[in-house]
Short mmCIF file of all heavy atoms in Angstrom, two decimals:
data_model
loop_
_atom_site.label_atom_id
_atom_site.label_comp_id
_atom_site.label_asym_id
_atom_site.label_seq_id
_atom_site.Cartn_x
_atom_site.Cartn_y
_atom_site.Cartn_z
N THR A 162 171.29 98.25 -54.62
CA THR A 162 170.16 98.94 -55.24
C THR A 162 168.87 98.64 -54.51
O THR A 162 168.71 97.57 -53.93
CB THR A 162 169.97 98.47 -56.70
OG1 THR A 162 169.95 97.05 -56.71
CG2 THR A 162 171.06 98.99 -57.60
N GLY A 166 158.59 98.88 -55.97
CA GLY A 166 157.39 98.28 -56.53
C GLY A 166 156.12 98.90 -56.00
O GLY A 166 156.17 99.77 -55.13
N GLU A 197 139.45 85.74 -67.39
CA GLU A 197 140.10 86.11 -68.64
C GLU A 197 140.43 87.60 -68.68
O GLU A 197 141.52 87.99 -69.08
CB GLU A 197 139.23 85.69 -69.83
CG GLU A 197 139.39 84.19 -70.10
CD GLU A 197 138.20 83.55 -70.81
OE1 GLU A 197 137.53 84.25 -71.60
OE2 GLU A 197 137.95 82.35 -70.56
N ASN A 199 140.87 89.51 -66.09
CA ASN A 199 141.92 89.77 -65.09
C ASN A 199 143.30 89.36 -65.61
O ASN A 199 144.28 90.09 -65.41
CB ASN A 199 141.59 89.06 -63.78
CG ASN A 199 140.48 89.74 -63.01
OD1 ASN A 199 140.13 90.89 -63.30
ND2 ASN A 199 139.93 89.06 -62.03
N ASN A 236 137.99 73.93 -62.33
CA ASN A 236 139.43 73.72 -62.27
C ASN A 236 140.15 74.77 -63.13
O ASN A 236 140.62 74.49 -64.24
CB ASN A 236 139.77 72.30 -62.75
CG ASN A 236 141.23 71.96 -62.52
OD1 ASN A 236 142.07 72.83 -62.33
ND2 ASN A 236 141.53 70.68 -62.53
N ARG A 258 160.05 90.95 -60.10
CA ARG A 258 159.71 90.19 -58.89
C ARG A 258 158.23 90.37 -58.62
O ARG A 258 157.74 91.51 -58.64
CB ARG A 258 160.51 90.75 -57.71
CG ARG A 258 160.11 90.15 -56.34
CD ARG A 258 161.13 89.23 -55.90
NE ARG A 258 161.00 88.52 -54.65
CZ ARG A 258 161.58 88.87 -53.51
NH1 ARG A 258 162.24 90.00 -53.42
NH2 ARG A 258 161.50 88.10 -52.45
N VAL A 268 143.92 84.41 -41.27
CA VAL A 268 144.42 84.52 -39.90
C VAL A 268 144.92 83.15 -39.45
O VAL A 268 144.14 82.31 -39.02
CB VAL A 268 143.32 85.02 -38.94
CG1 VAL A 268 143.93 85.36 -37.59
CG2 VAL A 268 142.59 86.22 -39.50
N LEU A 291 151.13 81.59 -57.97
CA LEU A 291 152.58 81.77 -58.15
C LEU A 291 153.21 80.54 -58.80
O LEU A 291 154.11 80.67 -59.64
CB LEU A 291 153.23 82.09 -56.79
CG LEU A 291 152.81 83.44 -56.21
CD1 LEU A 291 153.27 83.59 -54.76
CD2 LEU A 291 153.34 84.61 -57.05
N SER A 298 161.02 80.20 -55.47
CA SER A 298 160.69 80.45 -54.07
C SER A 298 160.91 81.90 -53.64
O SER A 298 160.67 82.25 -52.50
CB SER A 298 161.45 79.50 -53.15
OG SER A 298 162.82 79.56 -53.43
N ASP A 299 161.35 82.78 -54.58
CA ASP A 299 161.41 84.20 -54.23
C ASP A 299 160.05 84.88 -54.47
O ASP A 299 159.89 86.05 -54.13
CB ASP A 299 162.52 84.92 -55.00
CG ASP A 299 162.21 85.03 -56.48
OD1 ASP A 299 161.51 84.13 -57.01
OD2 ASP A 299 162.64 86.01 -57.11
N GLU A 318 152.36 81.70 -29.97
CA GLU A 318 152.62 80.25 -29.95
C GLU A 318 151.75 79.52 -30.97
O GLU A 318 152.19 78.60 -31.65
CB GLU A 318 152.37 79.67 -28.55
CG GLU A 318 153.44 80.02 -27.54
CD GLU A 318 154.86 79.65 -27.99
OE1 GLU A 318 155.06 78.52 -28.48
OE2 GLU A 318 155.76 80.52 -27.86
N ASP A 348 158.39 91.26 -32.44
CA ASP A 348 157.59 90.03 -32.36
C ASP A 348 157.84 89.14 -33.57
O ASP A 348 157.96 87.92 -33.45
CB ASP A 348 156.08 90.38 -32.30
CG ASP A 348 155.72 91.17 -31.04
OD1 ASP A 348 156.31 90.89 -29.98
OD2 ASP A 348 154.84 92.05 -31.14
N CYS A 349 157.93 89.77 -34.75
CA CYS A 349 158.16 89.01 -35.97
C CYS A 349 159.53 88.34 -35.93
O CYS A 349 159.68 87.18 -36.34
CB CYS A 349 158.04 89.91 -37.20
SG CYS A 349 156.37 90.51 -37.47
N LYS A 373 162.16 99.82 -29.62
CA LYS A 373 163.17 100.84 -29.34
C LYS A 373 164.25 100.95 -30.42
O LYS A 373 164.49 102.00 -30.97
CB LYS A 373 163.81 100.58 -27.98
CG LYS A 373 162.92 101.09 -26.85
CD LYS A 373 163.65 101.09 -25.52
CE LYS A 373 162.67 101.34 -24.38
NZ LYS A 373 162.68 100.29 -23.37
N LYS A 385 166.94 83.80 -46.55
CA LYS A 385 167.97 82.95 -47.15
C LYS A 385 168.09 83.29 -48.63
O LYS A 385 167.22 83.95 -49.19
CB LYS A 385 167.56 81.48 -46.98
CG LYS A 385 167.21 81.09 -45.56
CD LYS A 385 168.42 80.59 -44.80
CE LYS A 385 168.06 80.17 -43.39
NZ LYS A 385 167.97 81.31 -42.44
N ASN A 390 165.67 88.72 -52.60
CA ASN A 390 165.96 89.93 -51.81
C ASN A 390 164.95 90.09 -50.69
O ASN A 390 163.77 89.81 -50.89
CB ASN A 390 165.86 91.18 -52.69
CG ASN A 390 167.07 91.37 -53.56
OD1 ASN A 390 168.10 90.71 -53.37
ND2 ASN A 390 166.95 92.24 -54.53
N SER A 396 155.30 103.45 -46.54
CA SER A 396 154.23 104.41 -46.80
C SER A 396 154.44 105.62 -45.91
O SER A 396 155.25 105.58 -44.97
CB SER A 396 152.86 103.80 -46.51
OG SER A 396 151.86 104.76 -46.76
N GLU A 400 148.20 112.94 -44.17
CA GLU A 400 148.11 114.18 -43.40
C GLU A 400 146.66 114.42 -43.00
O GLU A 400 145.77 114.44 -43.84
CB GLU A 400 148.62 115.37 -44.23
CG GLU A 400 150.12 115.36 -44.50
CD GLU A 400 150.96 115.51 -43.23
OE1 GLU A 400 150.49 116.20 -42.30
OE2 GLU A 400 152.06 114.92 -43.18
N HIS A 409 148.08 109.62 -49.80
CA HIS A 409 147.64 109.52 -51.19
C HIS A 409 148.83 109.30 -52.11
O HIS A 409 148.82 108.45 -52.99
CB HIS A 409 146.88 110.79 -51.59
CG HIS A 409 146.46 110.76 -53.02
ND1 HIS A 409 145.45 109.94 -53.48
CD2 HIS A 409 146.94 111.40 -54.12
CE1 HIS A 409 145.31 110.10 -54.80
NE2 HIS A 409 146.20 110.98 -55.20
N LEU A 430 161.53 97.09 -52.36
CA LEU A 430 160.72 97.98 -51.52
C LEU A 430 159.36 98.25 -52.17
O LEU A 430 159.26 98.86 -53.23
CB LEU A 430 161.47 99.30 -51.30
CG LEU A 430 160.82 100.30 -50.37
CD1 LEU A 430 160.63 99.74 -48.97
CD2 LEU A 430 161.67 101.58 -50.29
N VAL A 444 159.72 108.83 -57.23
CA VAL A 444 160.94 108.75 -56.42
C VAL A 444 162.06 107.94 -57.07
O VAL A 444 163.19 107.95 -56.60
CB VAL A 444 160.68 108.17 -55.01
CG1 VAL A 444 159.82 109.11 -54.22
CG2 VAL A 444 160.06 106.79 -55.09
#
Side-chain angles (χ1 to χ4, degrees):
Chain A
T162 50
E197 281 155 30
N199 285 345
N236 189 341
R258 173 106 180 261
V268 190
L291 293 169
S298 53
D299 69 329
E318 287 306 313
D348 296 324
C349 293
K373 280 191 191 123
K385 308 269 181 279
N390 282 347
S396 180
E400 291 295 328
H409 178 71
L430 185 60
V444 294

